Amino acid sequence: MKESIKKKITYRAFVFDDESVIREMIWSLLDARSYEVFTFPHPGLCPQFEMNACPCVLNNPCTDIILSDLNMPVSKGLDFIKAQIKKGCQCKNIAIMSGYWTEDEMSKAKSIGCKIFIKPFKIKVLIQWLDEVEARIEPNRKLSNWWKEDYKKEE
């Protein structure tokens, strides 16, 4: 009798936080869950910050998850997310975290579909959200290779 071999899904996440301890803690959690993780202390260091269009316009999402702090240098997390959506980003799993939310910021984040995390939050709350997100991700989806030379040829 042959056993069916289930292919393990690798997820991709972008993490933005100017606090290195938080960035590293989230990286560790995602890495342990077999994520390909790209971390940045602020959106200005992400190559997509300067792109005119998100690589998602190729019908291949650039990432499965975007998890961003709200208040960072160069660009607020919410402003970066709104700009990415305007550029055509198709990532459906976006969360913003902060310990200093205004009602207006929280309302804007919710209106564009962001999950809200209020710092400090328990890691189990993040794990629960990741479980929900992973259950929704199409296992056969393709992700764009926005950082590789191949992507530049596809433009």
mmCIF file of all heavy atoms in Angstrom, residues 60-85:
data_model
loop_
_atom_site.group_PDB
_atom_site.id
_atom_site.type_symbol
_atom_site.label_atom_id
_atom_site.label_comp_id
_atom_site.label_asym_id
_atom_site.label_seq_id
_atom_site.Cartn_x
_atom_site.Cartn_y
_atom_site.Cartn_z
ATOM 1 N N ASN A 60 0.436 36.661 -9.169
ATOM 2 C CA ASN A 60 1.152 35.876 -8.177
ATOM 3 C C ASN A 60 1.398 36.804 -6.999
ATOM 4 O O ASN A 60 2.168 37.751 -7.125
ATOM 5 C CB ASN A 60 2.493 35.377 -8.716
ATOM 6 C CG ASN A 60 2.354 34.443 -9.902
ATOM 7 O OD1 ASN A 60 1.302 33.872 -10.137
ATOM 8 N ND2 ASN A 60 3.418 34.294 -10.650
ATOM 9 N N PRO A 61 0.751 36.552 -5.859
ATOM 10 C CA PRO A 61 0.970 37.449 -4.719
ATOM 11 C C PRO A 61 2.442 37.571 -4.373
ATOM 12 O O PRO A 61 3.223 36.639 -4.564
ATOM 13 C CB PRO A 61 0.202 36.777 -3.581
ATOM 14 C CG PRO A 61 -0.753 35.850 -4.241
ATOM 15 C CD PRO A 61 -0.131 35.449 -5.543
ATOM 16 N N CYS A 62 2.817 38.717 -3.873
ATOM 17 C CA CYS A 62 4.207 38.929 -3.460
ATOM 18 C C CYS A 62 4.481 38.247 -2.127
ATOM 19 O O CYS A 62 5.616 37.918 -1.814
ATOM 20 C CB CYS A 62 4.518 40.426 -3.380
ATOM 21 S SG CYS A 62 3.445 41.357 -2.269
ATOM 22 N N THR A 63 3.433 38.032 -1.358
ATOM 23 C CA THR A 63 3.577 37.410 -0.047
ATOM 24 C C THR A 63 2.227 36.860 0.397
ATOM 25 O O THR A 63 1.185 37.249 -0.139
ATOM 26 C CB THR A 63 4.126 38.418 0.984
ATOM 27 O OG1 THR A 63 4.428 37.728 2.205
ATOM 28 C CG2 THR A 63 3.151 39.547 1.265
ATOM 29 N N ASP A 64 2.259 35.973 1.383
ATOM 30 C CA ASP A 64 1.017 35.459 1.964
ATOM 31 C C ASP A 64 0.526 36.336 3.101
ATOM 32 O O ASP A 64 -0.673 36.439 3.341
ATOM 33 C CB ASP A 64 1.232 34.032 2.502
ATOM 34 C CG ASP A 64 1.517 33.039 1.391
ATOM 35 O OD1 ASP A 64 0.711 32.966 0.444
ATOM 36 O OD2 ASP A 64 2.543 32.333 1.473
ATOM 37 N N ILE A 65 1.484 36.928 3.818
ATOM 38 C CA ILE A 65 1.158 37.716 5.014
ATOM 39 C C ILE A 65 2.012 38.972 5.063
ATOM 40 O O ILE A 65 3.209 38.919 4.771
ATOM 41 C CB ILE A 65 1.416 36.888 6.296
ATOM 42 C CG1 ILE A 65 0.417 35.736 6.405
ATOM 43 C CG2 ILE A 65 1.355 37.753 7.551
ATOM 44 C CD1 ILE A 65 0.693 34.791 7.545
ATOM 45 N N ILE A 66 1.379 40.066 5.445
ATOM 46 C CA ILE A 66 2.116 41.284 5.792
ATOM 47 C C ILE A 66 1.751 41.596 7.234
ATOM 48 O O ILE A 66 0.576 41.716 7.569
ATOM 49 C CB ILE A 66 1.735 42.477 4.893
ATOM 50 C CG1 ILE A 66 2.079 42.183 3.431
ATOM 51 C CG2 ILE A 66 2.449 43.748 5.374
ATOM 52 C CD1 ILE A 66 1.580 43.237 2.441
ATOM 53 N N LEU A 67 2.755 41.699 8.079
ATOM 54 C CA LEU A 67 2.574 42.033 9.483
ATOM 55 C C LEU A 67 3.435 43.249 9.768
ATOM 56 O O LEU A 67 4.655 43.189 9.643
ATOM 57 C CB LEU A 67 2.980 40.857 10.367
ATOM 58 C CG LEU A 67 2.843 41.026 11.873
ATOM 59 C CD1 LEU A 67 1.412 41.354 12.274
ATOM 60 C CD2 LEU A 67 3.304 39.765 12.584
ATOM 61 N N SER A 68 2.785 44.360 10.100
ATOM 62 C CA SER A 68 3.512 45.620 10.227
ATOM 63 C C SER A 68 3.175 46.352 11.515
ATOM 64 O O SER A 68 2.031 46.360 11.958
ATOM 65 C CB SER A 68 3.159 46.530 9.039
ATOM 66 O OG SER A 68 3.828 47.761 9.128
ATOM 67 N N ASP A 69 4.190 46.989 12.045
ATOM 68 C CA ASP A 69 3.991 47.936 13.132
ATOM 69 C C ASP A 69 3.304 49.162 12.534
ATOM 70 O O ASP A 69 3.404 49.420 11.324
ATOM 71 C CB ASP A 69 5.353 48.307 13.726
ATOM 72 C CG ASP A 69 5.247 49.136 15.001
ATOM 73 O OD1 ASP A 69 4.202 49.078 15.682
ATOM 74 O OD2 ASP A 69 6.222 49.844 15.315
ATOM 75 N N LEU A 70 2.618 49.912 13.347
ATOM 76 C CA LEU A 70 1.936 51.116 12.862
ATOM 77 C C LEU A 70 2.891 52.293 12.749
ATOM 78 O O LEU A 70 2.992 52.940 11.711
ATOM 79 C CB LEU A 70 0.776 51.478 13.797
ATOM 80 C CG LEU A 70 -0.002 52.738 13.442
ATOM 81 C CD1 LEU A 70 -0.706 52.598 12.104
ATOM 82 C CD2 LEU A 70 -1.002 53.065 14.542
ATOM 83 N N ASN A 71 3.624 52.573 13.817
ATOM 84 C CA ASN A 71 4.483 53.756 13.867
ATOM 85 C C ASN A 71 5.947 53.380 13.687
ATOM 86 O O ASN A 71 6.557 52.781 14.562
ATOM 87 C CB ASN A 71 4.286 54.480 15.202
ATOM 88 C CG ASN A 71 2.865 54.980 15.357
ATOM 89 O OD1 ASN A 71 2.361 55.690 14.495
ATOM 90 N ND2 ASN A 71 2.210 54.595 16.442
ATOM 91 N N MET A 72 6.471 53.758 12.516
ATOM 92 C CA MET A 72 7.873 53.477 12.186
ATOM 93 C C MET A 72 8.451 54.679 11.452
ATOM 94 O O MET A 72 7.710 55.507 10.934
ATOM 95 C CB MET A 72 7.969 52.249 11.269
ATOM 96 C CG MET A 72 7.538 50.954 11.903
ATOM 97 S SD MET A 72 7.576 49.602 10.705
ATOM 98 C CE MET A 72 6.196 50.023 9.657
ATOM 99 N N PRO A 73 9.780 54.730 11.368
ATOM 100 C CA PRO A 73 10.409 55.795 10.584
ATOM 101 C C PRO A 73 10.100 55.637 9.087
ATOM 102 O O PRO A 73 9.721 54.557 8.645
ATOM 103 C CB PRO A 73 11.906 55.599 10.828
ATOM 104 C CG PRO A 73 12.043 54.589 11.893
ATOM 105 C CD PRO A 73 10.737 53.869 12.030
ATOM 106 N N VAL A 74 10.270 56.651 8.329
ATOM 107 C CA VAL A 74 10.120 56.714 6.872
ATOM 108 C C VAL A 74 8.658 56.639 6.429
ATOM 109 O O VAL A 74 8.204 57.458 5.657
ATOM 110 C CB VAL A 74 10.971 55.665 6.125
ATOM 111 C CG1 VAL A 74 10.797 55.769 4.623
ATOM 112 C CG2 VAL A 74 12.432 55.777 6.507
ATOM 113 N N SER A 75 7.915 55.650 6.904
ATOM 114 C CA SER A 75 6.514 55.491 6.520
ATOM 115 C C SER A 75 5.772 54.768 7.629
ATOM 116 O O SER A 75 6.265 53.781 8.159
ATOM 117 C CB SER A 75 6.412 54.680 5.225
ATOM 118 O OG SER A 75 5.074 54.430 4.883
ATOM 119 N N LYS A 76 4.590 55.244 7.943
ATOM 120 C CA LYS A 76 3.745 54.523 8.901
ATOM 121 C C LYS A 76 3.301 53.221 8.243
ATOM 122 O O LYS A 76 3.115 53.170 7.029
ATOM 123 C CB LYS A 76 2.522 55.350 9.275
ATOM 124 C CG LYS A 76 2.847 56.551 10.138
ATOM 125 C CD LYS A 76 1.576 57.211 10.604
ATOM 126 C CE LYS A 76 1.516 57.002 12.096
ATOM 127 N NZ LYS A 76 0.312 57.436 12.730
ATOM 128 N N GLY A 77 3.124 52.207 9.047
ATOM 129 C CA GLY A 77 2.686 50.923 8.516
ATOM 130 C C GLY A 77 1.395 51.019 7.736
ATOM 131 O O GLY A 77 1.255 50.437 6.661
ATOM 132 N N LEU A 78 0.438 51.768 8.248
ATOM 133 C CA LEU A 78 -0.850 51.917 7.579
ATOM 134 C C LEU A 78 -0.695 52.617 6.229
ATOM 135 O O LEU A 78 -1.309 52.222 5.238
ATOM 136 C CB LEU A 78 -1.823 52.693 8.479
ATOM 137 C CG LEU A 78 -3.279 52.753 8.050
ATOM 138 C CD1 LEU A 78 -3.861 51.370 7.804
ATOM 139 C CD2 LEU A 78 -4.100 53.492 9.096
ATOM 140 N N ASP A 79 0.157 53.634 6.157
ATOM 141 C CA ASP A 79 0.398 54.329 4.888
ATOM 142 C C ASP A 79 1.052 53.392 3.871
ATOM 143 O O ASP A 79 0.710 53.405 2.688
ATOM 144 C CB ASP A 79 1.275 55.565 5.106
ATOM 145 C CG ASP A 79 0.580 56.634 5.923
ATOM 146 O OD1 ASP A 79 -0.673 56.648 5.968
ATOM 147 O OD2 ASP A 79 1.283 57.458 6.538
ATOM 148 N N PHE A 80 1.999 52.581 4.325
ATOM 149 C CA PHE A 80 2.656 51.624 3.436
ATOM 150 C C PHE A 80 1.643 50.619 2.890
ATOM 151 O O PHE A 80 1.616 50.338 1.688
ATOM 152 C CB PHE A 80 3.788 50.899 4.172
ATOM 153 C CG PHE A 80 4.425 49.798 3.371
ATOM 154 C CD1 PHE A 80 5.230 50.092 2.281
ATOM 155 C CD2 PHE A 80 4.229 48.472 3.706
ATOM 156 C CE1 PHE A 80 5.826 49.074 1.525
ATOM 157 C CE2 PHE A 80 4.824 47.445 2.968
ATOM 158 C CZ PHE A 80 5.621 47.757 1.876
ATOM 159 N N ILE A 81 0.804 50.085 3.763
ATOM 160 C CA ILE A 81 -0.203 49.099 3.352
ATOM 161 C C ILE A 81 -1.157 49.715 2.328
ATOM 162 O O ILE A 81 -1.450 49.106 1.287
ATOM 163 C CB ILE A 81 -0.994 48.572 4.567
ATOM 164 C CG1 ILE A 81 -0.080 47.869 5.568
ATOM 165 C CG2 ILE A 81 -2.152 47.679 4.124
ATOM 166 C CD1 ILE A 81 0.690 46.703 5.062
ATOM 167 N N LYS A 82 -1.645 50.922 2.618
ATOM 168 C CA LYS A 82 -2.559 51.585 1.678
ATOM 169 C C LYS A 82 -1.877 51.813 0.331
ATOM 170 O O LYS A 82 -2.492 51.619 -0.722
ATOM 171 C CB LYS A 82 -3.076 52.901 2.262
ATOM 172 C CG LYS A 82 -4.048 52.684 3.410
ATOM 173 C CD LYS A 82 -4.806 53.915 3.840
ATOM 174 C CE LYS A 82 -3.953 55.069 4.225
ATOM 175 N NZ LYS A 82 -4.695 56.161 4.886
ATOM 176 N N ALA A 83 -0.607 52.185 0.333
ATOM 177 C CA ALA A 83 0.138 52.399 -0.914
ATOM 178 C C ALA A 83 0.291 51.083 -1.678
ATOM 179 O O ALA A 83 0.147 51.057 -2.908
ATOM 180 C CB ALA A 83 1.505 53.015 -0.625
ATOM 181 N N GLN A 84 0.572 49.992 -0.972
ATOM 182 C CA GLN A 84 0.721 48.696 -1.634
ATOM 183 C C GLN A 84 -0.595 48.256 -2.269
ATOM 184 O O GLN A 84 -0.610 47.738 -3.385
ATOM 185 C CB GLN A 84 1.233 47.635 -0.653
ATOM 186 C CG GLN A 84 2.690 47.801 -0.260
ATOM 187 C CD GLN A 84 3.610 47.881 -1.454
ATOM 188 O OE1 GLN A 84 4.158 48.928 -1.776
ATOM 189 N NE2 GLN A 84 3.779 46.783 -2.158
ATOM 190 N N ILE A 85 -1.685 48.455 -1.569
ATOM 191 C CA ILE A 85 -2.990 48.095 -2.121
ATOM 192 C C ILE A 85 -3.263 48.909 -3.382
ATOM 193 O O ILE A 85 -3.708 48.379 -4.404
ATOM 194 C CB ILE A 85 -4.102 48.294 -1.063
ATOM 195 C CG1 ILE A 85 -3.943 47.241 0.046
ATOM 196 C CG2 ILE A 85 -5.490 48.212 -1.704
ATOM 197 C CD1 ILE A 85 -4.804 47.479 1.269
#
